Amino acid sequence: MSVAAKIERGRGVSLWRQIAEKLQSDIAAGIYLPGTQLPTEQELAAKYSVNRHTVRRAIGSLAEEGALTATRGRGTFVSERTILYPISERTRFSEIVSANKRQPGGRLISSGEEAASAEVAEHLGLEEGEMVIRGETLRVADGRPITVGTYWINKSLVPNFIADYAELGSVSKVFERAGCGDYRRTKSWVSAVPCDAHDAGLMQITAGAPILEVYSINVTESGEPIQYTRARFRGDVVQLELGN
Amino acid sequence: MSVAAKIERGRGVSLWRQIAEKLQSDIAAGIYLPGTQLPTEQELAAKYSVNRHTVRRAIGSLAEEGALTATRGRGTFVSERTILYPISERTRFSEIVSANKRQPGGRLISSGEEAASAEVAEHLGLEEGEMVIRGETLRVADGRPITVGTYWINKSLVPNFIADYAELGSVSKVFERAGCGDYRRTKSWVSAVPCDAHDAGLMQITAGAPILEVYSINVTESGEPIQYTRARFRGDVVQLELGN
DNA sequence: AATATTTGTATACAAGTCTATACATTTATT
DNA sequence: AATAAATGTATAGACTTGTATACAAATATT
């Protein structure tokens, strides 16, 4: 390891910028964990073969952004930043994470069709046993898991959901194509519960850790229920923000 | 249009580098077509609100890379670069296009199952009439069509191909998931033929124009035929490179 | 209390980036 | 042949980036 990290000179990107991006991606990759100390400026300068002041500038730009905190005499530490997650009519994960100056990401865990349970049918305005689309996604910020969401979709409003989702890779884009781009959240229920084993594995926390559970209903512009969701947020990273 | 393009100062990325990247992405987006003249240095300098020499440096870096050609007294033009396409054991479109300093892309034209023709069955080691997966893709470099490929896949080796392809969006990734990541090309046949109307439409050339037609067989590490392909390359853009 | 470690500040200088101006050279047009 | 337009070259200065060195101030350790 630590094989003279690759910084390119003379390509139009300043050294401090390259180092800042490398540090940020190392944080996102979990190489430097929140709360832990970064190597000292001297060490980083040696690692990247640059002057200490160049490292200082890289650290400075990340500190200004809130990702690092430097204290004279102690060292530089990775911030433990919580994500402020507003629960409003218009809630879009990637926009929220970007607004928190983190890099959003995610992956599809599973998807398919199933018969609606009584609970799902009630909230989607269907009969129990009708076929609905069910999907589960894991969302991350700076490479760290934030939330797992399970959702059920009214098939009649978005007939080609699975194929379209495969093509577009985003629920909201599929809704848009189906003419339901202006969907909105109507009701939400929030509770704090212990995390089960399945979610704990996905979110990389221990089972039983407190998580926020949010049930909500999304409706089309005309008020028809289109999506019922059950989202679980890591309690140690996310703060929900209610009200307008 | 032309609303004072956004160049950021003081963020660690030099202006010439930002302009070079913008020009390159404009070329990739087809805003500046191969063979056409770029705006003059004066005009570009005005557009980006920088000195002419800064634009010159951006153009210089792209010219060195082969993307632009400047001639004194005439102007600066987008190069008509051919893509050197090696036909080797390990052939991956996106890697090749990137190696040619172009931006790879593509879209799925069609996919489904069909009964294997005698020709397909023979090359996949199956019986005529057995069901195989058939797909057709259009591949582009810098936004311009390069090749249309039709392929037939041995269903028994990649059972979930269609669903996995929808999720992963790449043939090689699906093969990887099926445990056949190390597939390789064994045989290829090359010929020059006139382009038919269907391919002409996809590749945006006139029917009858000469194209390169390459049939090939991909096999798994253990030598089982997994994919039979028929690729058509635009003769005016692609040069095949044989041998190591 | 003394010491070592670490970040913060200051100053000087070298190198790279961007601007400004002027002029040369080639090409295309009139 | 003359002119205009475009790229190529040259030079000088302001600004930014990176290096070098020294020292101050806060923290942790002994």
Side-chain angles (χ1 to χ4, degrees), chain B residues 31-124:
Chain B
I31 295 172
Y32 303 128
L33 295 173
T36 63
Q37 182 172 8
L38 228 59
T40 66
E41 296 174 350
Q42 293 245 18
E43 289 167 338
L44 287 172
K47 174 173 180 181
Y48 293 109
S49 307
V50 298
N51 191 274
R52 185 181 144 226
H53 292 301
T54 308
V55 167
R56 279 183 61 71
R57 185 151 183 196
I59 290 174
S61 77
L62 292 177
E64 192 176 7
E65 200 179 272
L68 296 176
T69 319
T71 317
R72 178 183 285 192
R74 283 201 349 121
T76 305
F77 297 80
V78 181
S79 306
E80 312 241 27
R81 288 183 294 164
T82 63
I83 290 184
L84 213 54
Y85 201 99
I87 299 290
S88 64
E89 277 212 333
R90 184 177 154 73
T91 295
R92 305 285 186 270
F93 177 82
S94 52
E95 291 174 11
I96 291 167
V97 171
S98 299
N100 277 273
K101 294 181 180 171
R102 310 279 209 108
Q103 191 191 321
R107 69 186 169 91
L108 182 65
I109 305 300
S110 66
S111 73
E113 298 193 13
E114 69 177 24
S117 68
E119 177 196 348
V120 169
E122 180 197 337
H123 292 112
L124 285 180

